[in-house]
Amino acid sequence: AKTIGLMGAMDEEIALLLERVENQETAVIAGIRFVKGSLHGKDVVVCKSGVGKVNAALAAQLLIDRFEAGAIWFTGVAGAVHPDLDVGDIVISSSCQQHDMDASPLGYPRGTVPYQEVSDFPADPVFIALAEEACTRLCRDHKYIVGRVLSGDQFIADRGFVSSVLYGEMEGACVEMEGAALAQVCGMNRVPFVVLRSISDKADGSADVNFAEFTKLAAQRSFEILNDMVQHL
Ligand code: ADE
């Protein structure tokens, strides 16, 4: 069976995973700590990429090259874009796209990488189904949606930008800072992936306050689903 790379951007997002991985072996490459081991009898490598697209891209390529990850699953928190989403709800990536890639003066729609065939990278349908099944088992008082994850090197706290651009123009479900980077790296390497995000804030004027308050809880929710997915793989 292939090794699964399990990725988060922040300590809160991977802390619970690290508590459960057995037979841990640690390596540090390019300043990123990778922990190899097994989770529910499956080979996994857990890493904290750090925040933002460059960190996520680097960590994803290292997972593939140095740890022979045959799949990458991301767990973490995000700001809500779809108007139906509340704090604690879950987004399973149907695809991931950069919202801050903008060559519109050249005639490209926002999010389109010039001279590149794909800009909206589709997640693996088997992993999406696995995540949906985990959500049906675990999401009692919260909803989940399968939708587009938008990523950029910006913490979004502007509902006007969310409704006009991220939702209105780009049809996103949630916004965060890593998904599209690892999605592109996975796409280019033909490695299947899925991004799982629990909503920590509404990406509006209260995003900073909500983020601080709800990140731990949201990260835990995302972890629980990912953990269930590993169990049922
Ligand atoms: N991650 C969690 N909330 C976010 C937001 N509002 N913008 C970007 N990334 C986030």
Side-chain angles (χ1 to χ4, degrees):
K2 55 190 179 185
T3 300
I4 313 167
L6 301 174
M7 229 172 120
M10 304 180 298
D11 283 321
E12 293 92 323
E13 293 169 330
I14 61 153
L16 296 163
L17 273 173
L18 288 178
E19 283 174 21
R20 280 162 187 79
V21 171
E22 296 172 75
N23 306 316
Q24 297 194 2
E25 277 177 52
T26 297
V28 178
I29 307 169
I32 300 174
R33 192 164 68 103
F34 296 85
V35 178
K36 246 176 95 153
S38 67
L39 182 61
H40 307 296
K42 275 100 182 178
D43 292 333
V44 298
V45 187
V46 180
C47 78
K48 180 186 79 169
S49 62
V51 173
K53 293 186 298 177
V54 174
N55 283 323
L58 171 60
Q61 190 66 55
L62 288 171
L63 280 171
I64 295 165
D65 285 347
R66 306 284 187 97
F67 298 93
E68 285 157 8
I72 296 182
W73 297 357
F74 192 101
T75 172
V77 302
V81 169
H82 195 289
D84 290 350
L85 287 173
D86 289 313
V87 168
D89 291 346
I90 295 284
V91 174
I92 301 165
S93 64
S94 52
S95 64
C96 300
Q97 187 170 14
Q98 301 178 53
H99 68 75
D100 61 349
M101 171 60 66
D102 185 1
S104 54
L106 302 179
Y108 295 95
R110 191 193 293 262
T112 297
V113 184
Y115 316 116
Q116 183 171 285
E117 215 168 291
V118 185
S119 295
D120 183 30
F121 289 87
D124 182 75
V126 174
F127 297 161
I128 293 172
L130 197 62
E132 284 189 280
E133 285 157 24
C135 285
T136 342
R137 279 188 288 270
L138 297 175
C139 293
R140 297 230 150 66
D141 29 277
H142 286 279
K143 52 186 170 304
Y144 73 90
I145 61 172
V146 180
R148 179 173 292 135
V149 172
L150 297 176
S151 314
D153 290 323
Q154 299 165 351
F155 186 87
I156 304 295
D158 177 351
R159 203 60 212 173
F161 178 73
V162 170
S163 53
S164 62
V165 174
L166 299 184
Y167 187 65
E169 198 178 316
M170 298 193 73
E171 300 178 342
C174 68
V175 62
E176 37 82 299
M177 303 171 77
E178 294 83 21
L182 72 96
Q184 177 164 339
V185 168
C186 285
M188 294 173 86
N189 287 275
R190 301 267 180 268
V191 168
F193 76 93
V194 72
V195 173
L196 201 70
R197 294 280 186 176
S198 174
I199 300 301
S200 57
D201 60 82
K202 293 220 170 168
D204 57 9
S206 59
D208 54 339
V209 180
N210 290 173
F211 183 78
E213 189 175 344
F214 295 118
T215 288
K216 205 169 165 202
L217 210 75
Q220 174 170 351
R221 193 156 280 135
S222 181
F223 155 77
E224 280 164 6
I225 292 157
L226 192 104
N227 189 54
D228 182 273
M229 288 168 65
V230 176
Q231 262 173 295
H232 289 86
L233 186 63

